[in-house]
Amino acid sequence: MESGCSKKLLDLIPQEKKWGFIENQNGISHGSSEEKKLELKLGPPGEEDELLVSFGYFSSMKSNAKHAHNKFPPPQEDHRGGAVLAASWAKNHHHQPKPPNCSQKRTAPGPVVGWPPIRSFRKNLATTSKLASESPTSLPHKVANERNPAAPETRGKGLFVKINMDGVPIGRKVDLKAYDSYEKLSTAVGELFSGLLAAQRDPSADGPKQEEEKAITGVLDGNGEYTLVYEDNEGDRMLVGDVPWHMFVSTVKRLRVLKSSELSVINLGSSKKGKRVQN
Amino acid sequence: MSEDDERQQSPPSDLEFVSNKARNCNATGSGSGHPEFQSTYPDQVLENVLENVLHFLTSRRDRNAASLVCKSWYRVEALTRSELFIGNCYAVSPGRATARFTRVKALHLKGKPRFADFNLMPPDWGAHFNPWALAMAKAYPWLEKVHLKRMSVTDDDLATLAELFLGFKELVLVCCDGFGTSGLAIFVSKCRQLKVLDLIESEVSDDETDWISCFPEGESNLESLIFDCVECHINFEALDRLVARSPSLKKLKLNRYVSIGQLYRLMVRAPQLTHLGTGSFSPSDIAGQGDQEPDYVAAFAACRSLVCLSGFREIIPDYLPAIYPVCANLTSLNFSYANITADQLKPIISKCHKLQTFWVLDSICDEGLQAVAATCKDLRELRVFPVDPREDNDGPVSEVGLQAISEGCRKLQSILYFCQRMTNAAVIAMSKNCPDLVVFRLCIMGRHRPDPVTGEPMDDGFGAIVMNCKKLTRLAVSGLLTDKAFDYIGRHGKLVRTLSVAFAGDSDMALKYVLEGCPQLQKLEIRDSPFGDAALRSGLHHYYNMRFLWMSSCRLTRHGCQEIARAMPRLVVEVIRSADEEEMDDVVGTLYMYRSLEGPRTDAPKFVTIL
């Protein structure tokens, strides 16, 4: 069972038109050590309470042995469960790849596909309509990305955007509110992926990230092996660092770490709008 | 505004094929004693008379019953059925349907099971409209109306409808996908007799085609134009001109790209509207704030026939008072996209004395529901949707709201209620206060959550519902539930036709209780519950009477499902795989099975295995 579990976690590969979906695994024991190793974490190692599943949902696992079977521990205050992620199933005609849901632990109150049973067009009401009711005098910006699966979520205080890296199948999420400059973001991104990259290169590497870590630097200045780009609210791809930080935060929808060698191949900016990014 | 409403119980028309083959009827109504295979003159007269009489039979349940009387009645009924309803597009083939019913004017088809709406089914599973479109083009060139639910419709199919059916009048697409604005453009441009185009909760891809401009010039026959689900900009000027030349227009539901200023203009053009979807209900970005705002109140006041109001997609609550003039006449109000507070709701709802249908967000809190209960004494249908659909400990609505509604709205027939907490006491109260309940759907969003006051499972609450609500036909359960809840359902839910179960039950017994106890059960959808092969076997006596059974993330094995498939040849047993499952895995991710006269379908994608 456990090897099956590890295979599932690493198989969180967004693939074109492929429906990847982790079923509820009956019978996986709660909190086995093997699973704990495979849990993705954003915080420093040792903080067992914080779990970052691939799309950035924190869920606190509190073992509550009151009802042993068939029961999930009661969610914590900061638990972000629910099926908002099901909104990430693209509404588009051509179904976009989405990282599948990791709901194999019956005891973990993590997000579950299709639960609560709300159709996707009824989701995201919190973010869009809140704008309307909170600021009656200012016009609500027509949220063009209301149903965009890549739209950042403002849950509570954080502003989480997805970030993917070339060569790493598992996407992550970063909280942009936690940083106030490009430098800090760049460092965080570097740390975020270096461990994963190391694990990719040498599958036998396990445990803390100190060993065999190759720092990812230079994502902003074009000198490093990787470059950080982002997609803005108009769907254009831009280099990170060109606009003032606060403007970046208000328009960014998702981030990507690309191999610098690939940059020339990728169309930066939008051909529709004729927008060009000066490097 | 109804979703999944099934008002009629009917013996399936498809099963009659089976029973009629066995039928050996000599007796016709004539009493002539002639062997029925001789079509003699008196029999012919009788058939003509019958034909005239059966024309008046509209209910499909009655028609299905009539067709079973004898061959003569079967034949005549088939000739006179003008509206064909097929609850599962795979239960019968287009060819078989068109062979039996030769004079159909309206087709109503349903495709995917409901859980597909919640991403529990991979895309491209099936339910293609195309083979039906083609079959009907040959068999019913006079077809006027098509109503599809959860089907995959392509742009080509839309073109087919418009080009091959000259008198086509009504198209209703509910929860459909596969087409885009290009398809709509072709459809509206060629369909000259169009009266109704209703796109409801469907996914329409934006091919950036200005389909509104494609309606033909000159006076239009449009009576209903519903496109609130279409997520693309539209050409407002073209829409304005269209409304201006549609004197019969009664129903207009705009999408969120129509601003309140534009709404005003349309309302002034069409004060005869009975059903209005307001679009965004906020000003456009470009509108100058200093400009004179139109008299929205006057526009609403001019719509004296307005009974159904919806929209409010990006509402600015400041504009809400504009609708005061119509409140007293409203029978249906849909605020399910309007994130408004109790205080914003109260002045509106206090005027809505005639309200029968109310859809709302839980942002109004228990307090808002109390206000509804205080005024809307005629309420029949209530739906409370969550602003924030995630599992949490606290939510804005709770047992307090449900209790209030049960006390104030005694005529309630249908309820859908999303909440984070619920007590058995409140559910029991509703079961006693609202005896007319036909649909009870409670979604406690926290999985396996017990009664927060007593710590008990929710068994007694749902038990009371099935015991006290004698007309109940549809039930959705949630919260912490043991097998006992299902025992209650099996014992008392004798009229239940649709049952939805998620994260509930302890053992196979739960499913057994239901399969053995509920004779009217037609649609059973289950997810993430510990039911296995033994439970599945206990329903063998009943599966031919059901439209479908869905079980995902339960404890079924492949060989268990195989057993069922072998035992029941007229059942199509589909095992639907997720990406990481191997074809020969014994564990079954999703089981979807349904009766069919056609055997395994030929259009199944790779991730579906038909046993």
Side-chain angles (χ1 to χ4, degrees):
Chain A
M1 264 309 168
E2 276 144 354
S3 56
C5 175
S6 61
K7 179 188 164 213
K8 281 177 206 301
L9 271 175
L10 291 177
D11 268 355
L12 295 174
I13 301 171
Q15 288 180 19
E16 285 292 336
K17 294 183 180 138
K18 196 169 178 190
W19 181 63
F21 153 111
I22 309 281
E23 295 276 358
N24 239 334
Q25 235 358 307
N26 304 315
I28 285 198
S29 57
H30 162 53
S32 69
S33 59
E34 182 103 13
E35 288 165 330
K36 283 241 155 84
K37 279 183 202 160
L38 295 166
E39 287 162 5
L40 306 173
K41 294 185 187 161
L42 187 54
E47 268 182 52
E48 300 297 313
D49 284 347
E50 291 293 293
L51 248 193
L52 179 61
V53 191
S54 67
F55 359 84
Y57 282 100
F58 290 96
S59 64
S60 302
M61 291 177 48
K62 192 179 177 185
S63 59
N64 182 347
K66 194 172 180 194
H67 294 272
H69 65 283
N70 269 6
K71 187 154 186 241
F72 287 72
Q76 294 274 39
E77 275 305 303
D78 58 345
H79 170 240
R80 303 162 211 270
V84 176
L85 80 87
S88 69
W89 282 111
K91 271 205 71 198
N92 294 333
H93 181 54
H94 307 290
H95 294 269
Q96 292 179 6
K98 279 292 149 251
N101 176 46
C102 200
S103 66
Q104 72 268 38
K105 294 191 189 145
R106 296 206 74 186
T107 45
V112 174
V113 173
W115 187 261
I118 303 277
R119 296 192 177 119
S120 50
F121 53 81
R122 286 199 181 279
K123 308 215 182 192
N124 292 334
L125 289 172
T127 39
T128 53
S129 38
K130 224 181 222 166
L131 290 168
S133 49
E134 275 170 4
S135 50
T137 48
S138 68
L139 301 169
H141 178 68
K142 280 250 163 23
V143 187
N145 62 348
E146 181 182 2
R147 310 228 193 300
N148 185 339
E153 292 145 43
T154 11
R155 295 218 164 277
K157 299 189 183 123
L159 178 65
F160 291 93
V161 290
K162 286 193 189 145
I163 177 165
N164 288 84
M165 177 166 181
D166 274 355
V168 177
I170 303 171
R172 309 296 299 274
K173 265 203 175 178
V174 286
D175 178 1
L176 290 182
K177 291 246 165 95
Y179 315 106
D180 55 18
S181 72
Y182 285 118
E183 264 170 32
K184 293 192 181 156
L185 174 65
S186 154
T187 318
V189 167
E191 283 167 6
L192 197 62
F193 283 108
S194 54
L196 281 175
L197 262 190
Q200 296 270 113
R201 287 187 192 121
D202 182 356
S204 65
D206 62 346
K209 302 175 197 148
Q210 294 95 302
E211 294 154 7
E212 297 184 356
E213 209 174 79
K214 185 181 169 185
I216 299 171
T217 54
V219 289
L220 294 177
D221 54 19
N223 291 336
E225 195 185 325
Y226 293 92
T227 303
L228 192 58
V229 300
Y230 73 100
E231 201 177 290
D232 72 6
N233 55 2
E234 284 166 344
D236 303 331
R237 207 167 237 195
M238 320 271 273
L239 278 178
V240 166
D242 283 348
V243 300
W245 172 256
H246 64 271
M247 196 187 291
F248 163 70
V249 169
S250 67
T251 58
V252 64
K253 291 304 164 231
R254 68 188 306 163
L255 289 162
R256 205 170 172 85
V257 182
L258 301 177
K259 278 197 146 70
S260 301
S261 51
E262 305 272 278
L263 260 187
S264 54
V265 178
I266 290 157
N267 248 351
L268 286 174
S270 158
S271 47
K272 263 194 283 181
K273 307 248 169 78
K275 222 187 218 178
R276 291 278 164 260
V277 175
Q278 306 305 318
N279 188 1
Chain B
M1 209 165 77
S2 58
E3 296 177 4
D4 286 275
D5 262 332
E6 277 271 324
R7 301 215 182 273
Q8 289 181 359
Q9 158 65 18
S10 55
S13 62
D14 47 286
L15 272 195
E16 292 146 35
F17 290 104
V18 179
S19 55
N20 271 306
K21 280 183 186 155
R23 191 163 282 278
N24 175 24
C25 53
N26 298 321
T28 64
S30 66
S32 62
H34 286 134
E36 54 91 24
F37 57 79
Q38 277 180 8
S39 63
T40 56
Y41 184 74
D43 280 341
Q44 194 58 51
V45 169
L46 175 77
E47 285 208 4
N48 288 343
V49 170
L50 204 53
E51 197 173 320
N52 284 310
V53 170
L54 285 186
H55 268 301
F56 292 100
L57 217 57
T58 45
S59 136
R60 70 174 190 264
R61 174 187 197 171
D62 293 342
R63 285 191 154 270
N64 291 343
S67 70
L68 292 176
V69 169
C70 67
K71 270 205 175 142
S72 178
W73 282 55
Y74 175 92
R75 233 184 348 256
V76 176
E77 191 284 313
L79 281 176
T80 54
R81 190 180 297 220
S82 61
E83 197 165 315
L84 182 58
F85 172 88
I86 295 173
N88 175 1
C89 62
Y90 287 121
V92 66
S93 72
R96 195 187 289 263
T98 54
R100 175 174 169 185
F101 301 104
T102 51
R103 297 192 193 161
V104 168
K105 282 205 247 173
L107 176 72
H108 188 139
L109 256 188
K110 292 190 178 182
K112 294 178 235 186
R114 199 178 71 97
F115 273 9
D117 291 351
F118 314 123
N119 299 322
L120 291 181
M121 186 174 247
D124 303 323
W125 169 83
H128 303 288
F129 178 57
N130 184 259
W132 291 90
L134 299 177
M136 285 185 317
K138 290 199 201 97
Y140 314 133
W142 50 77
L143 192 74
E144 288 181 0
K145 174 176 169 179
V146 166
H147 181 131
L148 303 177
K149 186 165 188 178
R150 291 195 194 94
M151 301 276 308
S152 234
V153 182
T154 63
D155 289 345
D156 284 338
D157 296 332
L158 292 176
T160 303
L161 286 177
E163 285 161 8
L164 301 187
F165 300 95
L166 298 175
F168 198 79
K169 295 197 171 73
E170 278 187 48
L171 180 62
V172 179
L173 300 178
V174 181
C175 300
C176 294
D177 61 11
F179 62 101
T181 47
S182 318
L184 287 178
I186 306 176
F187 178 76
V188 302
S189 67
K190 303 217 170 150
C191 200
R192 306 244 145 197
Q193 311 282 336
L194 192 65
K195 283 191 181 170
V196 172
L197 176 58
D198 289 351
L199 304 170
I200 299 169
E201 294 179 5
S202 293
E203 211 176 289
V204 182
S205 67
D206 185 0
D207 312 322
E208 296 185 3
T209 312
D210 178 5
W211 59 282
I212 296 279
S213 303
C214 294
F215 280 90
E217 288 302 322
E219 189 167 291
S220 123
N221 298 325
L222 263 186
E223 294 173 10
S224 173
L225 180 62
I226 296 180
F227 63 95
D228 53 342
C229 64
V230 177
E231 288 291 303
C232 346
H233 288 278
I234 48 134
N235 180 338
F236 176 74
E237 296 305 322
L239 178 63
D240 194 29
R241 286 193 300 273
L242 176 63
V243 171
R245 65 180 191 276
S246 306
S248 312
L249 194 66
K250 291 281 191 290
K251 301 186 186 182
L252 180 64
K253 297 199 182 180
L254 309 164
N255 70 8
R256 63 186 181 91
Y257 291 90
V258 178
S259 70
I260 193 169
Q262 292 170 332
L263 169 68
Y264 173 83
R265 285 172 56 183
L266 295 174
M267 288 179 73
V268 164
R269 287 230 190 262
Q272 77 278 9
L273 288 175
T274 57
H275 294 58
L276 177 64
T278 65
S280 67
F281 214 67
S282 56
S284 67
D285 289 347
I286 319 157
Q289 278 294 65
D291 292 353
Q292 183 99 23
E293 293 249 57
D295 190 351
Y296 297 118
V297 176
F300 275 95
C303 292
R304 297 178 186 288
S305 316
L306 207 57
V307 291
C308 172
L309 196 55
S310 63
F312 309 103
R313 297 292 206 143
E314 285 167 5
I315 188 174
I316 302 266
D318 296 356
Y319 290 102
L320 263 181
I323 74 171
Y324 286 168
V326 297
C327 289
N329 288 331
L330 283 183
T331 55
S332 169
L333 179 56
N334 182 348
F335 270 155
S336 65
Y337 289 94
N339 192 341
I340 56 174
T341 63
D343 287 333
Q344 288 161 342
L345 176 71
K346 281 181 189 172
I348 306 279
I349 208 75
S350 59
K351 299 178 170 57
C352 297
H353 299 277
K354 288 194 190 163
L355 209 58
Q356 294 186 7
T357 302
F358 186 48
W359 290 20
V360 72
L361 286 176
D362 63 4
S363 56
I364 62 165
C365 302
D366 288 326
E367 194 188 330
L369 291 172
Q370 286 164 334
V372 174
T375 314
C376 306
K377 298 302 176 189
D378 215 15
L379 199 67
R380 311 292 161 106
E381 180 181 323
L382 175 67
R383 296 198 193 193
V384 181
F385 294 96
V387 166
D388 202 1
R390 57 183 174 133
E391 300 177 57
D392 213 333
N393 273 324
D394 262 310
V397 298
S398 68
E399 68 272 10
V400 173
L402 193 76
Q403 179 91 29
I405 292 289
S406 79
E407 288 166 5
C409 309
R410 300 293 175 118
K411 297 190 191 169
L412 201 64
Q413 292 172 359
S414 170
I415 184 164
L416 170 62
Y417 197 89
F418 283 86
C419 57
Q420 297 289 356
R421 55 174 278 153
M422 184 53 58
T423 60
N424 280 309
V427 178
I428 294 171
M430 177 157 271
S431 76
K432 294 185 177 154
N433 291 335
C434 305
D436 291 339
L437 275 177
V438 173
V439 174
F440 185 80
R441 299 159 70 191
L442 177 63
C443 183
I444 303 167
M445 292 191 272
R447 289 164 285 160
H448 306 279
R449 199 163 278 168
D451 182 325
V453 169
T454 64
E456 298 280 302
M458 295 301 296
D459 298 341
D460 289 340
F462 287 103
I465 291 287
V466 287
M467 274 189 257
N468 297 333
C469 302
K470 312 254 191 276
K471 305 180 189 173
L472 197 79
T473 58
R474 182 168 178 185
L475 180 64
V477 300
S478 59
L480 178 65
L481 293 169
T482 70
D483 290 349
K484 195 161 110 179
F486 297 92
D487 186 15
Y488 288 139
I489 296 173
R491 271 185 221 277
H492 303 281
K494 294 305 177 186
L495 296 183
V496 171
R497 294 203 295 266
T498 306
L499 180 63
S500 307
V501 179
F503 305 100
D506 297 325
S507 74
D508 284 349
M509 286 310 296
L511 185 52
K512 281 188 79 167
Y513 290 138
V514 168
L515 288 171
E516 287 169 2
C518 300
Q520 300 296 326
L521 197 61
Q522 302 253 292
K523 301 188 266 187
L524 181 54
E525 43 190 33
I526 303 174
R527 64 167 293 181
D528 294 276
S529 299
F531 308 142
D533 300 335
L536 202 61
R537 255 179 261 125
S538 64
L540 284 171
H541 67 286
H542 190 62
Y543 293 137
Y544 279 157
N545 294 331
M546 290 177 64
R547 188 180 294 173
F548 72 80
L549 168 66
W550 168 288
M551 286 177 71
S552 58
S553 305
C554 296
R555 292 202 182 142
L556 300 174
T557 67
R558 196 192 167 90
H559 65 263
C561 296
Q562 191 91 63
E563 242 186 84
I564 306 291
R566 265 188 231 118
M568 310 195 74
R570 295 249 192 224
L571 216 56
V572 174
V573 180
E574 293 195 11
V575 172
I576 303 174
R577 275 193 307 286
S578 55
D580 51 347
E581 284 173 27
E582 295 300 316
E583 175 148 0
M584 293 316 291
D585 256 2
D586 202 36
V587 172
V588 161
T590 299
L591 166 73
Y592 179 53
M593 68 187 201
Y594 49 90
R595 65 181 173 207
S596 171
L597 293 171
E598 311 301 338
R601 57 188 174 111
T602 49
D603 63 356
K606 284 188 303 193
F607 51 81
V608 169
T609 309
I610 301 183
L611 300 178

